[in-house]
Amino acid sequence: MADTPKPDELAKIDHTPPVFRGWMDTQPEIRPGIACYGSKSKDLKYVDMPNPRDWSPFDDDWKLPENWEETIHEGFKDRLGRFRSFKLFMDICVRCGACADKCHFFIGSGDPKNMPVMRAELLRSIYRKKFTVGGKLLGRLAGARELTEDALKELWYYLYQCTECRRCSLFCPYGIDMAEITIMGRELTNLVGLNIDWIAAPVANCYRTGNHLGIQPHAYKDMLDFFTDEIEDITGLRMEQDLNRKGAEILFITPSGDVFADPGTFTCMGYMMLFHYLKSLGLDITWSTYASEGGNFGYFTSHEMAKRLNAKMYAEAKRLGVKWILGGECGHMWRVLNQYMDTFNGPADFLEEPVSPITGTRFENAKTTKMTHIIEFTADLIKNNKLKLDPSRNDNLKVTFHDSCNPARGMGILEEPRYVIKNVCNNFYEMPPSTIREQTFCCGSGAGLNAGENMELRMRGGLPRANAVKFVHEKHDVNMLACICAIDRAVLPNLMEYWVPEVDVTGVHEMVANALVFEGEKKRTTDLRGEPLPGMEDEEDV
């Protein structure tokens, strides 16, 4: 973050409308700090993506194929025919501006082309010129423009300043899903090889090894073994996990970020401790070192790529012969699973409707996908008094909760995480109502934008969320931001360090594990991070 402007400098944002010159004549400066690196040839080749080559958005020559205009126009025509929603969203916007100030990137940058309506207009203008009578006849008077190389570069630039969080869509009087427009725009640019490295590389890795990081099965097992040793040091109990076991009742799948990246690793240890606790109560669960990724960066590339990567979950469930699938804390993982999986890879008629083996609760919301979110699974356990918890172990924490965009707006998971948090800690404070639940602000780094080279963009996009955290920090001395998303756990620490350095980040199941009281455990003096539990600051580990 050394090259990122300081917070006091970045906070000087000018939202004054620019002097009118005509937006079609105003070209953006594609610069480091805002834009991501271009995709690499090897990654595009691995998954058979078009026009594989090494390129940079900071060069004048993007190495486009000779027939790139025709390719994009044909792709546009194809998607207008296949996706009725896309055709509607191209036609029904009246540019009322209800979405304009709802985007965290516009709030954080002041760039008018980061208004959702304007970002979509970049694509609509090309649509009007090619596919509408008014656009063909009247051109600019009808808001239409030719698909030039400059227009393509501008479109690409702003498509990758959208996290597909759908906050703008919540306020649209016509119900236009702006994320759907971004997805389609990205599909079109991918037809000519315009992706970013931080999406293309995880996609290729996931297709090759089953997870975004390209981790081999033995390395996945080694990490869980390492966590087992760490947990034993803290609790005195050996909590080894089952891997790739055929005939288990439940398959557990979580984002690889929970296994390999702090602070997600502590959330992963939380899963392990919960499963060990429930084993004596009848939980029969296994992990997979092959379907080792719940997330899906294919979703940030195209519907087809998302479908290809998502297929591994059902394939592994079928191979292992499980009854249903339990999923870890993740954001876009759950939008794909909840809204697309049955269409992508279903129906999963070889699986059963999930039923908790501990409480007997039937998760009817998972009737078609056969996948249940771990936060609703754990909330159900607590509601039925199946967990012995000591919330005072988290008394060093004053917690607020970040509603991750996709589980909140995409699934309606709003009350379950709050219910769990309130049962495992004693100090919980909500951020302002206009910044949480369905109206939650994004982390500013989703949809594949969680790279290192675009840190200024991330800090600008995360400013609204950081401001809400700063409010509860100053009012209630909040020092911990909880979330149920692996990308959030990866990117929010940078955001907090930049804007609110007094606040740390945790997954909900890390706090669950700290509060869990095991039979036969040794006297616990530290939490999962090795920090002293409240009242244990002077105790020696025995």
Side-chain angles (χ1 to χ4, degrees):
M1 297 178 67
D3 296 331
T4 305
K6 300 300 181 184
D8 58 347
E9 180 182 349
L10 202 65
K12 296 175 182 177
I13 304 164
D14 184 7
H15 291 94
T16 304
V19 176
F20 183 76
R21 288 194 303 162
W23 65 266
M24 293 186 191
D25 299 316
T26 306
Q27 291 300 312
E29 177 192 359
I30 300 177
R31 61 182 178 84
I34 298 295
C36 292
Y37 297 144
S39 49
K40 292 183 172 60
S41 174
K42 64 181 180 64
D43 296 321
L44 297 183
K45 285 180 180 177
Y46 199 88
V47 289
D48 303 313
M49 292 292 287
N51 194 26
R53 81 278 183 226
D54 292 332
W55 68 285
S56 171
F58 310 117
D59 293 340
D60 291 335
D61 183 6
W62 285 18
K63 303 179 183 178
L64 298 171
E66 290 185 4
N67 63 337
W68 67 267
E69 300 101 322
E70 180 184 352
T71 299
I72 290 179
H73 282 144
E74 286 301 312
F76 221 132
K77 180 180 178 180
D78 171 67
R79 283 153 184 80
L80 289 170
R82 284 196 291 131
F83 299 98
R84 183 171 180 268
S85 60
F86 185 41
K87 180 69 167 62
L88 285 172
F89 296 159
M90 287 292 98
D91 286 332
I92 66 175
C93 177
V94 296
R95 294 173 291 287
C96 67
C99 65
D101 61 344
K102 307 306 186 296
C103 177
H104 45 280
F105 285 119
F106 172 64
I107 295 172
S109 70
D111 185 340
K113 290 183 181 178
N114 266 326
M115 295 178 183
V117 59
M118 194 64 240
R119 189 184 294 115
E121 199 69 9
L122 301 177
L123 191 61
R124 285 195 185 99
S125 61
I126 297 167
Y127 159 75
R128 293 191 191 103
K129 183 62 179 179
K130 186 68 177 179
F131 299 102
T132 70
V133 174
K136 291 177 181 178
L137 295 177
L138 301 176
R140 287 191 174 206
L141 291 175
R145 62 173 175 166
E146 296 285 353
L147 176 58
T148 64
E149 192 167 329
D150 283 342
L152 177 65
K153 289 181 177 181
E154 181 181 50
L155 176 63
W156 177 90
Y157 183 60
Y158 286 103
L159 287 174
Y160 289 93
Q161 292 186 54
C162 172
T163 52
E164 303 175 7
C165 80
R166 301 167 73 232
R167 188 174 193 267
C168 53
S169 303
L170 186 70
F171 296 90
C172 176
Y174 289 92
I176 296 173
D177 188 343
M178 206 63 66
E180 190 79 4
I181 295 175
T182 296
I183 290 168
M184 292 300 180
R186 288 189 180 187
E187 285 201 16
L188 295 176
T189 57
N190 270 277
L191 293 176
V192 292
L194 296 181
N195 205 322
I196 63 173
D197 179 47
W198 200 247
I199 292 177
V203 164
N205 287 338
C206 198
Y207 193 66
R208 182 173 64 252
T209 68
N211 61 71
H212 293 157
L213 301 176
I215 303 299
Q216 300 288 343
H218 65 277
Y220 195 94
K221 178 183 181 301
D222 287 346
M223 283 303 296
L224 294 190
D225 288 344
F226 172 75
F227 295 154
T228 300
D229 294 338
E230 292 288 296
I231 294 169
E232 186 175 17
D233 288 342
I234 295 167
T235 67
L237 302 175
R238 191 80 182 161
M239 302 188 185
E240 294 178 340
Q241 305 295 300
D242 285 318
L243 297 172
N244 305 320
R245 178 167 57 86
K246 291 187 175 182
E249 179 181 3
I250 303 168
L251 170 62
F252 179 65
I253 300 177
T254 197
S256 58
D258 282 346
V259 184
F260 295 99
D262 291 342
T265 52
F266 305 114
T267 302
C268 188
M269 292 166 68
Y271 304 148
M272 295 171 65
M273 292 174 68
L274 177 65
F275 297 159
H276 181 84
Y277 185 98
L278 297 175
K279 192 172 184 180
S280 63
L281 300 179
L283 184 71
D284 182 20
I285 195 166
T286 192
W287 304 51
S288 172
T289 59
Y290 301 101
S292 51
E293 179 64 68
N296 190 331
F297 273 44
Y299 182 57
F300 310 140
T301 303
S302 70
H303 288 86
E304 181 58 34
M305 190 62 70
K307 177 180 177 179
R308 288 168 66 181
L309 299 186
N310 194 71
K312 67 181 181 297
M313 298 189 191
Y314 278 163
E316 186 68 347
K318 193 168 190 177
R319 184 183 77 86
L320 295 177
V322 300
K323 292 182 178 179
W324 57 279
I325 306 172
L326 181 67
E329 296 182 12
C330 187
H332 73 274
M333 165 184 174
W334 281 100
R335 182 166 184 221
V336 173
L337 301 183
N338 187 57
Q339 298 185 350
Y340 292 94
M341 187 167 186
D342 195 36
T343 303
F344 279 167
N345 304 114
D349 50 10
F350 57 93
L351 295 173
E352 300 177 6
E353 184 179 333
V355 177
S356 172
I358 314 301
T359 68
T361 296
R362 185 175 297 275
F363 297 101
E364 295 184 359
N365 59 310
K367 189 173 293 185
T368 59
T369 62
K370 312 300 191 296
M371 286 196 69
T372 297
H373 196 297
I374 194 169
I375 202 70
E376 51 188 337
F377 180 74
T378 301
D380 176 66
L381 292 169
I382 295 173
K383 181 180 178 181
N384 287 279
N385 298 312
K386 297 300 182 181
L387 302 180
K388 185 177 180 181
L389 300 166
D390 180 3
S392 70
R393 290 178 175 174
N394 288 313
D395 276 353
N396 59 319
L397 306 180
K398 293 187 177 181
V399 181
T400 192
F401 179 66
H402 165 64
D403 290 276
S404 303
C405 301
N406 286 309
R409 274 189 288 271
M411 288 188 71
I413 294 184
L414 304 171
E415 301 306 327
E416 293 89 345
R418 289 172 167 81
Y419 179 77
V420 173
I421 291 171
K422 290 175 183 178
N423 277 276
V424 300
C425 80
N426 293 316
N427 305 300
F428 177 70
Y429 305 93
E430 290 278 21
M431 287 180 273
S434 61
T435 71
I436 60 173
R437 299 180 185 269
E438 293 94 338
Q439 296 187 45
T440 184
F441 275 111
C442 181
C443 66
S445 303
L449 302 187
N450 52 319
E453 65 268 18
N454 63 334
M455 196 61 73
E456 180 182 337
L457 176 70
R458 289 173 50 186
M459 297 304 102
R460 288 188 181 279
L463 175 59
R465 168 46 74 224
N467 275 341
V469 175
K470 186 175 183 179
F471 175 82
V472 288
H473 168 68
E474 293 178 347
K475 185 174 182 179
H476 302 293
D477 200 26
V478 161
N479 60 7
M480 186 61 76
L481 176 61
C483 59
I484 54 169
C485 173
I487 287 182
D488 285 335
R489 285 189 289 278
V491 304
L492 286 173
N494 289 131
L495 189 70
M496 293 299 102
E497 179 185 358
Y498 187 82
W499 290 115
V500 200
E502 303 86 356
V503 177
D504 211 335
V505 179
T506 183
V508 172
H509 278 80
E510 177 184 345
M511 293 190 296
V512 171
N514 284 334
L516 267 178
V517 179
F518 291 82
E519 184 176 345
E521 68 179 8
K522 72 177 186 180
K523 183 178 180 181
R524 289 169 67 176
T525 59
T526 69
D527 60 19
L528 294 185
R529 303 189 184 198
E531 298 172 355
L533 292 174
M536 297 291 178
E537 290 81 2
D538 297 325
E539 292 280 340
E540 290 186 358
D541 190 17
V542 295

